[in-house]
Amino acid sequence: MHVGMFESFVTGHWFSAEAKRIWSDAATLQAWLDVEAALARVQARLGLVPADAAVTIAQQADATRFDLVRLAEQIAFAQHPLVPVLRQLEALCGEPAAGCVHLGATTQNIFDTAAALQMRRSHALTAAALDEAIAQLARIAATHAATPMAGRTHGQHALPMSLGFKLAGWIDELDRDRTRLAERIGPSFPACMGGAIGSFAALGPIGREVERNLAAELGLMPAGLPMRAAFDRASDYVGALGLLAATAQKIAQELVFLQRTEIGEASEAFHLGKVGSSTMAQKRNPSTAQLLASLARLLRARVPAALEAMVRNDEGDAAATNVTDTLLPELAILGVSVAETLARLVQGLQVHPQAMRRNLGITGGLISAEAVMMRLAPRLGRHEAHRLLYEAAQRAQSEGIAFADAIRSHPDLAALQLPEDLAALLEPGAYLGESVALTRETIARVSR
Amino acid sequence: MHVGMFESFVTGHWFSAEAKRIWSDAATLQAWLDVEAALARVQARLGLVPADAAVTIAQQADATRFDLVRLAEQIAFAQHPLVPVLRQLEALCGEPAAGCVHLGATTQNIFDTAAALQMRRSHALTAAALDEAIAQLARIAATHAATPMAGRTHGQHALPMSLGFKLAGWIDELDRDRTRLAERIGPSFPACMGGAIGSFAALGPIGREVERNLAAELGLMPAGLPMRAAFDRASDYVGALGLLAATAQKIAQELVFLQRTEIGEASEAFHLGKVGSSTMAQKRNPSTAQLLASLARLLRARVPAALEAMVRNDEGDAAATNVTDTLLPELAILGVSVAETLARLVQGLQVHPQAMRRNLGITGGLISAEAVMMRLAPRLGRHEAHRLLYEAAQRAQSEGIAFADAIRSHPDLAALQLPEDLAALLEPGAYLGESVALTRETIARVSR
Amino acid sequence: MHVGMFESFVTGHWFSAEAKRIWSDAATLQAWLDVEAALARVQARLGLVPADAAVTIAQQADATRFDLVRLAEQIAFAQHPLVPVLRQLEALCGEPAAGCVHLGATTQNIFDTAAALQMRRSHALTAAALDEAIAQLARIAATHAATPMAGRTHGQHALPMSLGFKLAGWIDELDRDRTRLAERIGPSFPACMGGAIGSFAALGPIGREVERNLAAELGLMPAGLPMRAAFDRASDYVGALGLLAATAQKIAQELVFLQRTEIGEASEAFHLGKVGSSTMAQKRNPSTAQLLASLARLLRARVPAALEAMVRNDEGDAAATNVTDTLLPELAILGVSVAETLARLVQGLQVHPQAMRRNLGITGGLISAEAVMMRLAPRLGRHEAHRLLYEAAQRAQSEGIAFADAIRSHPDLAALQLPEDLAALLEPGAYLGESVALTRETIARVSR
Amino acid sequence: MHVGMFESFVTGHWFSAEAKRIWSDAATLQAWLDVEAALARVQARLGLVPADAAVTIAQQADATRFDLVRLAEQIAFAQHPLVPVLRQLEALCGEPAAGCVHLGATTQNIFDTAAALQMRRSHALTAAALDEAIAQLARIAATHAATPMAGRTHGQHALPMSLGFKLAGWIDELDRDRTRLAERIGPSFPACMGGAIGSFAALGPIGREVERNLAAELGLMPAGLPMRAAFDRASDYVGALGLLAATAQKIAQELVFLQRTEIGEASEAFHLGKVGSSTMAQKRNPSTAQLLASLARLLRARVPAALEAMVRNDEGDAAATNVTDTLLPELAILGVSVAETLARLVQGLQVHPQAMRRNLGITGGLISAEAVMMRLAPRLGRHEAHRLLYEAAQRAQSEGIAFADAIRSHPDLAALQLPEDLAALLEPGAYLGESVALTRETIARVSR
């Protein structure tokens, strides 16, 4: 029986297959066992358990030897998520190695350290997909560094700009997103081996040596002060995932807009056999962009709960760790899926410069009002130029006349020596500002 | 010194002036005093305090006699929000009436009951503004019950419909919003007089009589079981405010879209002197719609905190009541402001049927693909009709040819006896479905 | 491969098995097919399709005949969640019945109506579990209507009360929760059959008749105006689930507190074999209460996303419906699981009146300060009595002396004729207020 | 008329007075004017405006010369938040300087750069208060590095530890919070001067020089690519504030718990005149801790809205910037207030080692079960030691007997040569693990 969005026949394909493998039941169990094996190895090296025992434990720490159905039943009965696993592992090891399993550790140590391994693997997928998305956006931006299109604010044409410039903004933000994630993955998910309350009581002074060695063995940082009631480090990475999701949602919504029937400036990949509607044969929906927006929302929705679950009672609090133990895998899979869907979306992206050009012309020059103002400013002052052009521009819109005509027929403006090249000034392609230069620099910066 | 969005010189005008008056410091203090006065009156009637004392208390329960600056200092010193108020009231009353103030009550009783009075007043404003917005939308819908426009899904033209139909959807949802709020305002904000922990210990059996009488005196319902740790009733009203906010945000975003430079199907009120930009003279922004969306988000953002603050420890928990005491006024002001801004927005709304007609024609008939499918379905089956029209419609888009031509040149469709009236079938205005009837019924239903 | 919390070997047992069955892949597919079958049946009755076709469709509308793996692949390829299902159904039906499938419907109509069926089934489980939880709490409350315990506010002893009174507060709130859910389940999840944009364009005037008949056939209410961009009704039910979750979290946290090592006033069920820790042999954790709090948080965390997803563009918006199509099953399973876990928790609840009695005595009578104040109030006035007792009570705490001694040695109080029965006044069990009466009435009210 | 929590007579004292001054209307206007003055100065230096004009502008850029009431009216009429300010400034400057105001800038440039100045000032307050809180916690931790108390998990006694160790966990987390904030304040709030859509169109190539110079002038970093649709940098700082709030709420809730009547291990400052209740004379509430928790929740509640508002349409979107322009001041004030309230709370904190010692003894040695297990592990294996001690410990609890007796009377344990020093092993003070060392190291690390 399948339940839940990750494996559903309807929505399973929304999610990164590799990320799901990392967080599958089998892989999670294996991650726990990997930590137990590494712990034994490290303790053998430090003389805490016999070398033989560590070898035996490592050999038996193999998820395929475990009976997941029986484990599920025992976990439900014991109301404890790890002890039944330990019992099966001990049984597999036999005496005396069995007695050396899990020495000085508490359950949450194993869970947190294993999750750190899984988070690191997930992060690698996210990072790779982000690299790919940024590289592809940079390619399109390079091609269209100077392709003119309407810059819009508040849904209204504002100034002309280039497509490259718009993409540079996305690239710049995505680059910050990947930097933040890369900087935080290590410190956010350390190896924790402080025992029941983080005081290393069970092992004494050598406990901290065990934690440091375990961290080195697993390629993680040591927690140092492994308070189980502290979750701020993980939450900080989750926050960075939330920022990535918001960036991705913004890009997705922009692409849904650019593909709109009336806009048509971009469209996502289409293949025959892609269906838009069970009843409307003509539909070509921006379904990948909408999926991206949806995944981003599902990710963002989980951020406040992760933040709230930082608030923990005592030296350990299952009312919070239950929540974060459950949320982290979801957040990790969603993070990879957001990044991969973004990469796929931009891989298939098609841009339509003619439509951009067509839309640029819609306002009959109004989009270039600032260009005229800046030309007049040295003679009138910026404020006065704005005032007069406001009158002309609003009249053009109220009366449906061309902006150039409204300017020429404005009493105060007409009295001036108007720019001779008014038509050229009103040509949108001539007022791209630093669009091209900024595009090129951004591409260069992220391609280092 | 002004701090905070409600009274700021920049954003003060975003918020309902009347709602702000209801929740001003002076009005809040007066609401507390009104409850104390009513409590004394009711207790006099029940023989718990002398009638004279109740008269004195009622006379002195006048916020204008209080020194708010001194109160603020004393509250900060006592770290208690009401006791200094009681002391000033007692001093104003003199003996022996002073000794009859606040008998059997606890602070939260006064706060909750006063807030109930203020919420009821705020609700009246919200309800009136919603009535106005719905009535105005109904007027526009009546005029444009049959005005054709493109129905869109996923940003793509889907089917033709009428403007009235679109508005009917908003009206229907707003009508549910106002019904929910109206049904919940009473039970959500009862009079509470259970004393320190809600057990009526201070007054004994007559305490419940006091609560019932106080409720009647103030036009509220009695709490009955006035547990201070229960906030679900208030949260339920807050939830309904959240739904209203989401409806309003949806409408706002739709209007921002309809006013877009390329769409132009609607626009909000404009007057000379309304400025869109400090640098772009031409800008006519949908600033009221954007303000509405913003207010709606500010309201929605406060809903989870109100929900979270239902989770309270013990028989009373300031870590939660501090939050909800602070949030309720904000939510109430935002609720009224959302409703009033919505009413103002639709009052000034202008619709542009020619632009709707123009946009309807953009796809060269593709928007009517379903009409053709339904005509062919009796002969081919729905599935086969969909399949063939999918091929024709996708070819029309890939090759940029007219849909009618793609149909006529499709081998399987050409083999059929095509509808003779294909051109008429593809005429968008002919396929409005039940748009008109549904519009009229919706108007009639909400105008009862 | 299992991924996701619902079926994980670690956390699968957290969730209602019956609720998971309702929302499994197979059951979801069956719900879609049930709607398609009912639609054909209704359309046959109205003469829109042949009776034979409807019979054939109903026979083939059987999820066990479908190949879920192939469906998953086709859905991923078509990027459409329903069309591949329709194709398999059409193939199973054969001609001419195949051509009568899904007539006049759009995908979201099927999804929403099927989800309505699944929500109704889930609601029945939630309601039954809530009934059970309330009944059990009422039984405990009846037994302990007069069992004295400390009432606390802000973590400090406030007044004595009875255990029954505390439970009455929970019962009262849970009763409101179940009423809200029961009132909303019907209107929140109607049958929707308005076609592509809700205008009934495909079927024309008879379309609304189809919707009404379909609703009757399935035991649902008809949507009436089936705008796909409206989600407020569903969100309102979701909001009520959020309130239930917050109530449940409050109860859970209270029980975690009452079971604390130092408090010991209640404990949840324990059996040999229940394990508290992999390293601390002594642990008896309130794991069911903590699980309940965790489930409640996971539910609450999904409420804002459902609210946000009410904000939809156009006449249909997959960026929102993807989210709610995914969230509703999770919310429904969590809702049932919260209610069932609550029921299980209170079934196993043990209360310890001796510990309550012991804790009541901790403050040496301070918990009864209000009782003394109310006795002195008629002579001194409430305010003066409060002032003098404040001095005595604070001195008792600062100097660590008995409250009675502090009262007797207070100069102003000593000057008074103190209540002769001061010791009796300070006896906590004597100041339960209306605890008992309120408990009995609450039990009676919810047991109707 | 006062409306809103920041200046209310009831809650005004909750908030940092200095932070409120930074974000007052007058200070906000001054920050805008400071940016306009700096812009003119920089442009004069670059030869874009006459030096005289820049001097004049700087002289008039003085908020005290502005009429805030008139501004508020004009802003409401123009529906634009800055243009009326510019008009007053231009009028104050007179010609020709008036014409040089706001050259090449757009409103959001001024707002964002001014907010950057205000955020930096707020950050300094937050940082100072955090330093103070950490230093004070370090002082207490140093004194109590070895003071034994119960370590608890899930509300149950787990292991002994020292108070210093608990505080070290708080110190460590707060230290990370302050580091995150310090690292992000600069990049999160850059100077932005890209004009209408961030393309520097108005000023051309020198525009970027203007931005860099302006940034240097104001001590900020330049935005570089000043896309108005990018808010991730600010959201990242907001995220770090959210983490701080969650840390603070955790500490606050722990202190509320430690002060509970039954626990009594710590208490916050009390002074005569601090009132706990209007009806219960004895109350000493942890009101500062509860206030801290409340402020933290109010802050946390605003984080998702800031994240959501990263999702922006077009090159500028008031539906999002309205929200963040409003939220940032609130977040900044709340951030400072959380930090200052935390500092005040720990300044007044009193700890009660005797109560800790008393509570440690409650379980009759069960809290030291792990110590016995670790002693037996070398002989029995960890697993077997756990199993036998589980039986003994659970029996001790079920039958209410001493743990030592349960151990001695357990058949399998009795058969062993039990540790001779069982009593010493069960002495809680003997099993503090690395508590002391970790405390000292943490203090040393944060005191660098």
Side-chain angles (χ1 to χ4, degrees), chain C residues 128-140 167 170 251 255 267-270 288 292 339-351:
Chain C
L130 278 181
D131 287 349
E132 208 184 304
I134 290 170
Q136 174 62 9
L137 283 169
R139 275 189 289 272
I140 308 175
L167 299 180
W170 299 354
I251 294 172
L255 289 175
S267 51
E268 62 176 54
F270 174 78
T288 306
L292 178 57
E340 293 185 353
T341 304
L342 174 66
R344 194 167 66 244
L345 176 62
V346 299
Q347 294 295 357
L349 192 65
Q350 295 183 294
V351 299

Side-chain angles (χ1 to χ4, degrees), chain B residues 353-405:
Chain B
Q354 321 90 296
M356 293 174 182
R357 169 67 55 186
R358 181 194 71 221
N359 289 336
L360 257 181
I362 279 179
T363 61
L366 285 166
I367 197 172
S368 302
E370 191 194 68
V372 186
M373 181 185 78
M374 289 309 289
R375 181 67 68 85
L376 294 175
R379 285 156 61 196
L380 300 173
R382 196 204 66 87
H383 59 329
E384 188 64 6
H386 186 279
R387 189 180 67 78
L388 298 176
L389 286 166
Y390 174 81
E391 292 172 5
Q394 298 307 328
R395 188 179 152 232
Q397 291 173 82
S398 293
E399 303 184 7
I401 62 174
F403 187 33
D405 293 340

Side-chain angles (χ1 to χ4, degrees), chain A residues 152 166 208 315 441, chain D residues 152 166 208 232 315 441:
Chain A
R152 301 163 173 105
K166 188 178 190 76
R208 305 173 66 198
E315 277 59 63
E441 285 175 26
Chain D
R152 300 162 173 106
K166 187 179 192 75
R208 304 171 66 197
D232 61 298
E315 277 58 63
E441 285 175 28

